[in-house]
Amino acid sequence: MAMKDYSDEFKADAVALYESTPGATYKSIAADLGINRNTLRNWVLRSQELRSGAPDARGARTAVRATQATPAAEPDERIRQLEARVAELEASERKLATERDILRKAAKYFAGGDELVSRFEFVHDHRDAFEVKRLCEVLQVNRSSYYKWLSGLQTRRARQRADERLAARIREVHAASGGAYGSPRVTAELKDKGLHVNEKRVARVMRTFSITGVRLRRRVRTTVSDPSAALVPDLFRRDFTAPEPGIKYMGDITYLPLENGEFLYLATVLDCFSRKAVGWSIADHMRTDLVADALKMAARTRGGLDGAVFHSDHGAQYGARAFAALCDQLGVTRSMGEVGSSADNAACESFHASLKCETLQGARDYGDAATCRRTVFAWLTRYNTRRRHSANGHLSPDEYERRHHTAKLTLAA
């Protein structure tokens, strides 16, 4: 078809036909009308532009006619639409730039973990740089939840400052104990210093500030029984308590690891009443002299052991004739648990475990023999005079015995 001028009505009808035909294409409709494909496309786009700029238009035909009737208004309308679009894009760009800034700062802020509380803290710390609403949207948190969190912020900060002050006091007690005390003993020590605090709170603060002890797992066999030794009855029956000091004693041997894979050995004698270490001996062997020297020291500490009962395991040292003769000489009755049962001497096992845990502090060995002796000696003396014992109501063995004697004198008076 030759080029010619088309009426406004023809243009409007052509646009209406294209828009009302399902699945229509410019090519198919243009072929039906006998016009160029691009011509139809321009009519349709022009009609759509007019309608988007005038929401109350009454249809494609009216829009095309209005375009022909007011050609001078068309450039101004187009400029207005473009300006509106530019403003929209600029607003979108600002929004995206804000999001990028927030996320860039958040990436550094949440390096240690992205928790809900951390998100609230981020919003609070950056509320002056960005709108709270925008921060909450980007971090995907509820604004009302943030304000609820904010309402309790001062209370939480006051509690945190109080916990920091308590942690400082706990560190002092913990350091004075050689890093050995857990929450029960720390609580007892703080109460003696005039600070009345709940043990659960002490435990929580110790966990929060990583104040803890070290456990020792390495074990070496020190009990080797002598099949030829005379049978000795079990007079304790796993009862490691006593109503008075100087009545029941218990003893055992433990290893002390040195450098280069060598060992020293420690024999101890504990009073069942207060768990006081009344006798000990350290040597580079496990012969009978080791346990005999510990028992002799206990006799000197107590001023004699006549009438007392001494309990041990079935180690060859305790079953030796020389040790039996020493017990007879001191007036001590021997007691032994079952063969192969560590529970029958559990109190001594626990004592030695605490000693190594608190003196080694996680190290593999004590170093040389001289260092080992000094370290263990210092711990044993401090154990009696200052270390709080759970079996004594968190009193040291010496203090526990002192209060017992004072109570007896008060009752006698």
Side-chain angles (χ1 to χ4, degrees):
M1 179 180 288
M3 294 291 294
K4 63 178 181 178
D5 294 330
Y6 299 98
S7 65
D8 294 340
E9 183 177 354
F10 183 91
K11 294 177 182 179
D13 289 338
V15 171
L17 176 63
Y18 169 81
E19 292 181 340
S20 64
T21 303
T25 63
Y26 291 126
K27 183 177 180 180
S28 62
I29 299 298
D32 292 341
L33 297 175
I35 63 175
N36 184 275
R37 172 185 176 279
N38 289 332
T39 300
L40 175 62
R41 179 177 178 275
N42 290 335
W43 292 349
V44 172
L45 293 178
R46 177 66 59 83
S47 177
Q48 290 175 349
E49 287 176 0
L50 291 176
R51 279 178 290 172
S52 65
D56 58 344
R58 297 180 180 178
R61 182 177 300 176
T62 304
V64 173
R65 290 174 179 173
T67 301
Q68 296 295 326
T70 57
E74 182 177 322
D76 293 339
E77 179 65 21
R78 180 60 177 165
I79 291 172
R80 189 190 67 77
Q81 293 175 9
L82 291 174
E83 289 176 343
R85 180 58 178 164
V86 169
E88 180 182 345
L89 292 173
E90 288 176 345
S92 178
E93 177 61 25
R94 286 194 298 272
K95 179 178 179 182
L96 291 173
T98 301
E99 289 184 0
R100 284 195 301 270
D101 290 343
I102 293 173
L103 293 175
R104 190 180 298 113
K105 294 179 183 296
K108 298 178 180 179
Y109 197 95
F110 297 132
D114 180 11
E115 299 179 357
L116 183 59
V117 172
S118 298
R119 297 189 187 193
F120 290 151
E121 291 173 347
F122 179 85
V123 173
H124 186 68
D125 292 344
H126 296 82
R127 67 191 186 282
D128 294 333
F130 306 99
E131 291 183 353
V132 170
K133 179 180 179 181
R134 192 77 193 112
L135 287 165
C136 291
E137 289 176 353
V138 174
L139 297 180
Q140 298 180 350
V141 296
N142 192 299
R143 211 174 356 155
S144 62
S145 298
Y146 161 71
Y147 284 117
K148 183 177 180 181
W149 173 87
L150 183 61
S151 65
L153 181 60
Q154 295 305 319
T155 300
R156 288 193 300 275
R157 285 183 172 175
R159 184 168 60 246
Q160 183 178 1
R161 289 192 293 269
D163 285 349
E164 290 172 352
R165 291 192 295 270
L166 177 59
R169 298 287 299 276
I170 290 174
R171 285 195 182 95
E172 293 177 0
V173 173
H174 192 255
S177 72
Y181 280 4
S183 58
R185 291 187 178 92
V186 169
T187 303
E189 188 74 24
L190 291 174
K191 288 182 178 178
D192 271 4
K193 294 178 181 296
L195 180 60
H196 294 280
V197 61
N198 186 281
E199 183 184 332
K200 290 183 178 179
R201 185 185 174 200
V202 171
R204 176 180 60 79
V205 171
M206 290 182 71
R207 285 194 303 270
T208 301
F209 291 88
S210 300
I211 305 173
T212 184
V214 180
R215 290 189 179 137
L216 187 68
R217 292 187 175 88
R218 188 181 176 196
R219 297 179 63 85
V220 170
R221 185 184 182 194
T222 55
T223 302
V224 180
S225 61
D226 183 0
S228 64
L231 293 177
V232 177
D234 182 359
L235 303 179
F236 271 35
R237 297 295 178 184
R238 301 186 182 180
D239 178 8
F240 303 109
T241 62
E244 294 283 339
I247 297 176
K248 295 169 65 178
Y249 295 95
M250 51 189 170
D252 198 4
I253 302 173
T254 191
Y255 73 97
L256 303 173
L258 304 178
E259 57 190 3
N260 301 324
E262 298 178 351
F263 296 95
L264 289 182
Y265 299 92
L266 169 69
T268 52
V269 178
L270 306 180
D271 191 307
C272 292
F273 173 74
S274 62
R275 305 297 171 87
K276 178 175 181 175
V278 294
W280 63 79
S281 178
I282 301 175
D284 58 0
H285 61 79
M286 287 199 300
R287 295 191 293 271
T288 304
D289 291 345
L290 178 67
V291 296
D293 289 344
L295 192 63
K296 290 176 184 177
M297 178 181 175
R300 292 192 298 271
T301 301
R302 288 306 196 193
L305 300 177
D306 189 36
V309 177
F310 177 78
H311 183 82
S312 69
D313 57 26
H314 278 266
Q317 302 84 352
Y318 294 111
R321 292 188 180 89
F323 186 76
L326 176 62
C327 288
D328 292 340
Q329 177 185 339
L330 296 174
V332 174
T333 301
R334 290 191 295 159
S335 169
M336 287 188 178
E338 295 182 6
V339 177
S341 175
S342 60
D344 287 347
N345 206 18
C348 277
E349 296 269 358
S350 175
F351 172 81
H352 289 154
S354 296
L355 182 152
K356 286 186 281 189
C357 175
E358 296 176 14
T359 54
L360 283 171
Q361 294 284 306
R364 297 179 62 88
D365 58 67
Y366 290 96
D368 58 53
T371 301
C372 177
R373 286 178 179 274
R374 288 194 303 269
T375 301
V376 173
F377 173 77
W379 188 90
L380 288 169
T381 53
R382 186 183 179 284
Y383 169 87
N384 285 335
T385 59
R386 294 184 57 192
R387 185 184 182 278
R388 297 178 181 274
H389 202 297
S390 57
N392 298 338
H394 296 300
L395 297 175
S396 68
D398 281 355
E399 178 64 18
Y400 189 67
E401 290 190 1
R402 186 190 67 78
R403 294 193 183 189
H404 174 74
H405 290 310
T406 300
K408 284 184 63 178
L409 292 174
T410 301
L411 289 175

